[in-house]
Amino acid sequence: MGVVDRRYAVRVTLLYGLIAGAWIAFSDTLLSRLGLSAGQIARLSLYKGLGFVVVTSIVLYVSVTRGTRRLASLSERLSTFIDVAPIPIISLDLDARVVLWNPAAERAFGWTAEEVLGETNPIVPPEECLRFTCDDGRSPDAPHIAGVEITGTRKDGRQLQLRVFNAAVHDERGAVVGTIGVLEDITNYTAAMIEIERYRDHLEELVRHRTDELMRANNELKRATDAKDTFLASMSHELRTPLNSIIGFTQILLQGLAGPMNTEQVRQLEMVNASGRHLLALINDILDLSKIEAGQTVMQPEDVGIQDVLASVEGTVRPLMADKGLQWVCDCDEPATIHTDRRRLEQILLNLLSNAVKFTQDGTIRLSARVVGAYARFEVADTGVGISSDALQTVFNEFIQLETVDAMRPEGTGLGLAISRRLAHLLGGTLVAASEVGVGSTFVLTLPVGTESDAGDGQPDPKRSSVLVVDDDAHARSTITRILRDAGYAVREASDGTVALRSVADERPDVILLDLVLPGMDGWEIVRRLKAEEKTADIPVIGVSILSESEHGAAAGFAGYLVKPIDPAGMLTMVDTVLTGRGSALSAE
């Protein structure tokens, strides 16, 4: 509005100067054209001056009237704005006396305008008010104060937390005559912030307390697990010793070495022998599972002929199939060798074949094996009762047994498949199942092939490819490391980005397995730094995350991408693909 007023004043001044100049310059010429002589014109000079005054007065009157109307309109708008404003607006003079108190201030603080106008500001003490006028109360350059928080008092005595936004008020000469301010009631906001802060402190205390409880529970669980393992180990030994004696003596009796027996005695001894063997199998399964969970199962890899393994398990399961009249099909494309633990491989296949026989009343049991790239694929298929989709989700859980069509509970411990899957993971492979009720089931075991030259005793060899595993989760890091070392890779570990970059600088790895979520420096930043250095830009990096972000990984320069939980076989395939340069592995998940 100030710019408009200045423009108007300039126009009025220019108009006044133009009229005055024109009158002075042309009045005599105008009168001479009317036929008046120079003497007459001189005698009319008084009337010329009076005429000029009249014209000037008219111009000034019009200008002042118009300016007054503008000023009145502006004052009315400002007054209306102050009256309808929803927040308190207060103006004070230099002595902290109230000169403006809008209706919102009346509602907020309880005093009416008539009660406070001309009086000292009742909200805060006078010394507090003077702090918001200007320096020493008289400086022409009073500061603008914004967002200062003070404590004020209502008429009823209740205290309020206020946020003040103040500005100086100047007179026509530019001198400071007071202040005008907007006050915001932040009492509820301040109380809420205090409550949030208190709740946060309480929450931190709860988290600490809960963490302590979890640590104590974890320690108790560890002690209980250790006690369980100790108990199972000792009890299995104590139980297996007499069971072996029972089974051995019943075998002696059944063979007639202790003398002849009648038919009923033979039948009863066969029942004792079968029950003893069943109980021994249960004890062995529980002990196996306990050792696997405790990390005490040691793999003993060696070069194993696939056809030899198939022949061995066939010799064991053929009698079982012959008793039920089942057809046996064994399919192996060509002689091949893999580097694995033979005893554990045969244990897995025997568990799968025993289940296939157990749940197949007639039809065919098929065992096939073939080598595809760096992996061997073993497939056990049957034409049995099949497994429903719901049951298939839990078939690898402990102590899970499927009900047969006739609702008879099948023999077994319910641990075979659980043990088989865990052994498959320890061998660096996977075990999955597919089934259809009434059609049959198929179990597929996938293991890395490996060789004697690149696997040896499972210890790192400097001549083999090296892998740097970067993960802040110690358990995940050790699991990945074990799988890679069993597959013949030389593995180093890093728990965060700083350690990883230092490790790369000390000894360049052939490939990096990098978790993207790390404390401090995340995986994306690590890759950016590696790609920015000429010496490390060509190191292939495989990203690991719980989210599928392979498209972002490709843009960031990842050579591959894995999604947690990591499938061991898929991870080994990707590492092999990246190292051999057979193409991008980003799509593998």
Side-chain angles (χ1 to χ4, degrees), residues 91-376:
S91 182
L92 307 176
D93 62 17
L94 293 180
D95 296 319
R97 290 190 297 268
V98 178
V99 295
L100 173 65
W101 189 272
N102 75 336
E106 294 181 348
R107 294 191 297 270
F109 305 117
W111 287 282
T112 64
E114 290 76 11
E115 292 177 298
V116 297
L117 288 175
E119 303 293 334
T120 303
N121 184 6
I123 302 173
V124 294
E127 61 272 12
E128 190 77 6
C129 287
L130 291 174
R131 184 162 71 91
F132 299 110
T133 54
C134 55
D135 290 339
D136 299 328
R138 298 294 183 271
S139 171
D141 298 319
H144 291 259
I145 300 174
V148 176
E149 295 183 9
I150 63 172
T151 300
T153 305
R154 278 178 50 89
K155 184 178 181 180
D156 57 13
R158 182 162 61 92
Q159 287 193 328
L160 302 174
Q161 289 298 120
L162 303 172
R163 184 179 287 127
V164 179
F165 301 85
N166 238 23
V169 176
H170 301 80
D171 63 10
E172 63 278 3
R173 296 187 302 276
V176 175
V177 295
T179 61
I180 186 168
V182 175
L183 288 78
E184 179 185 6
D185 185 356
I186 59 172
T187 305
N188 294 335
Y189 170 79
T190 303
M193 292 302 296
I194 294 173
E195 181 65 19
I196 291 173
E197 188 69 20
R198 187 192 66 80
Y199 180 77
R200 189 187 70 179
D201 294 340
H202 180 59
L203 182 61
E204 290 177 352
E205 181 182 351
L206 289 177
V207 170
R208 286 194 299 269
H209 179 66
R210 183 58 177 163
T211 300
D212 293 339
E213 288 184 344
L214 290 175
M215 290 182 65
R216 287 194 295 270
N218 186 56
N219 292 334
E220 290 294 329
L221 180 61
K222 186 178 184 303
R223 284 194 290 270
T225 301
D226 293 341
K228 179 204 72 173
D229 293 339
T230 302
F231 171 78
L232 288 175
S234 71
M235 288 304 297
S236 63
H237 175 73
E238 295 298 327
L239 290 173
R240 282 192 293 183
T241 299
L243 275 174
N244 284 327
S245 298
I246 292 172
I247 294 171
F249 283 125
T250 55
Q251 285 293 116
I252 291 174
L253 293 173
L254 289 172
Q255 291 173 6
L257 299 179
M261 292 184 298
N262 59 40
T263 304
E264 181 61 22
Q265 290 173 327
V266 171
R267 188 181 69 83
Q268 291 179 1
L269 280 175
E270 288 177 343
M271 293 173 59
V272 171
N273 186 269
S275 297
R277 291 182 180 279
H278 177 70
L279 184 56
L280 182 61
L282 174 60
I283 293 172
N284 288 335
D285 284 347
I286 292 176
L287 184 60
D288 275 350
L289 185 62
S290 176
K291 285 183 176 180
I292 293 172
E293 290 181 342
Q296 298 175 353
T297 302
V298 179
M299 298 291 106
Q300 297 178 338
E302 58 180 319
D303 283 349
V304 178
I306 292 180
Q307 289 184 331
D308 294 339
V309 171
L310 300 189
S312 176
V313 297
E314 179 182 355
T316 303
V317 299
R318 259 193 181 279
L320 301 177
M321 291 185 290
D323 291 342
K324 299 184 71 171
L326 301 176
Q327 183 180 359
W328 166 253
V329 177
C330 186
D331 179 17
C332 183
D333 289 346
E334 57 185 16
T337 300
I338 65 173
H339 192 78
T340 191
D341 188 316
R342 174 169 182 159
R343 185 171 70 88
R344 297 303 185 180
L345 172 57
E346 291 183 355
Q347 182 179 352
I348 297 172
L349 294 178
L350 285 174
N351 278 337
L352 299 178
L353 289 168
S354 297
N355 278 345
V357 173
K358 186 189 306 182
F359 292 101
T360 303
Q361 299 303 318
D362 57 71
T364 303
I365 305 294
R366 176 185 295 274
L367 171 61
S368 60
R370 59 178 51 86
V371 174
V372 180
Y375 293 90

Side-chain angles (χ1 to χ4, degrees), residues 492-505:
R492 289 181 288 133
E493 299 181 17
S495 58
D496 57 47
T498 303
V499 176
L501 292 176
R502 188 184 308 124
S503 179
V504 172

Side-chain angles (χ1 to χ4, degrees), residues 401-455:
Q401 288 187 318
L402 301 177
E403 298 295 336
T404 57
V405 177
D406 56 6
M408 294 296 292
R409 182 180 177 85
E411 295 182 356
T413 64
L415 293 173
L417 289 178
I419 292 173
S420 296
R421 171 167 274 189
R422 284 166 171 77
L423 288 176
H425 289 170
L426 289 177
L427 293 173
T430 59
L431 178 61
V432 296
S435 185
E436 184 177 348
V437 175
V439 177
S441 303
T442 301
F443 288 81
V444 179
L445 170 66
T446 304
L447 297 177
V449 173
T451 63
E452 184 68 36
S453 60
D454 66 9

